[in-house]
Amino acid sequence: MKQVGIGVIGLGLMGSLFAQLAVQFPDAKLIGVADIDADRTLKMREQLGIPTFTDYTELLSQADLDAVVIATPDAFHRAPAIAAAQAGKHILLEKPLATTSADAQAIVESCQLAGVTLMVGHILRFDPHYGEAYRAVRNGKVGEIVHLTARRTTSTADAERLAGRVSISFYLGSHSVDAIQWIAGSPIIEVTSTSVRKQMARFNTDDTVMSLLRFENGAIGMLENSWIRPNGAASRRIGSSLLLMGTKGAVQIETNTAGVVVYQPNTSEPITPPYSFDKTVFGQISGVYRDEFAHFLDCVRTGNSPIVSPQQALSTVLVCEAIERSVAEGVKCAVEQPKTPGLFA
Ligand SMILES: NC(=O)c1ccc[n+]([C@@H]2O[C@H](COP(=O)([O-])OP(=O)(O)OC[C@H]3O[C@@H](n4cnc5c(N)ncnc54)[C@H](O)[C@@H]3O)[C@@H](O)[C@H]2O)c1
């Protein structure tokens, strides 16, 4: 079987992880990596012995390059993604697709025009907790969804690293928005959001954003995103939970403690999914990022559609944008969702 030639653009936290993953898969070959920071490329060349570039267009012109992972900062996805599409390369693009709907539309359109696979790295699709909740809903254990509450928090270390360059709604919120639209099987059509700014005021950014949501299927939801959890206050940096109530049952996820519990009248079914985010076992990265990368490789090889469709990733951007608009204007905002039939069905 021909190996899939992989390049990585952006060698920070996520890009360096994907570069290491690409050398770990026998059916992938890391062709090279690119970052505007020459020190980062040098470090990667020393570590992995591969060609490195400070201009990603040089990486895109390398022979045998089939696909790229793009892990540049959230607001800088558009240029490398469009360049990669125009060069005919398949793309695994870190979440969110973009931080404006204009950038998001432009990326989706370029990939469609070029006929390349575009997969956005909405990692909760590969987190077994969220997979169990999705299955409980699809298997009818919850019935018709009535309401849900989703929380995602991270520590001030993340806020201090990122505040000023991305908002909390796009950085953290995009994870939850993708997960709840996917699990509910229905797009969010209306948001009412508010925020508070105390600890992170020095970065001119919000500490916490709360939103009330209305889904197309009539369910309502509450979304909490915050990056002021004290550093070291929990075993994992990210705290994530979901409570989903329906006409027949309920599902609860608490990633740091209880795992997943499916409730039905007079029964409760606790599930402890196998779980790791980026654990290294015998020198091999395991867990959700490995599974995400394996799915992308499979889509590139087979031509199958990725589990996260470009229109779904665009939808998440539209919801996050509406949340920011609602915070700024203090009003309820409608979300103009893509007209794709059965968007999350
Ligand atoms: N899926 C997840 O769980 C997860 C977790 C963290 C971050 N992310 C996402 O991953 C993306 C990257 O985040 P990060 O924390 O790795 O960022 P980072 O700041 O650690 O790294 C970004 C890298 O991109 C480089 N870069 C910037 N502009 C470039 C350009 N034009 N060409 C080449 N390189 C360029 C920077 O020099 C830097 O090395 C973001 O979209 C973020 O939201 C996803």
Side-chain angles (χ1 to χ4, degrees), residues 188-203:
I188 294 163
I189 54 168
E190 190 183 275
V191 301
T192 312
S193 304
T194 191
S195 70
V196 58
R197 191 171 288 202
K198 290 182 183 222
Q199 215 174 326
M200 293 302 144
R202 65 190 194 281
F203 297 109

Side-chain angles (χ1 to χ4, degrees), residues 275-321:
Y275 184 67
S276 85
F277 242 69
D278 54 359
K279 209 175 182 162
T280 299
V281 181
F282 298 121
Q284 300 278 295
I285 298 164
S286 70
V288 290
Y289 298 113
R290 185 208 167 280
D291 295 348
E292 177 187 66
F293 189 67
H295 177 64
F296 174 66
L297 281 182
D298 186 57
C299 292
V300 168
R301 218 178 302 103
T302 60
N304 288 344
S305 301
I307 184 174
V308 183
S309 76
Q311 294 298 319
Q312 290 175 347
L314 170 62
S315 160
T316 291
V317 172
L318 294 167
V319 174
C320 293
E321 207 172 50

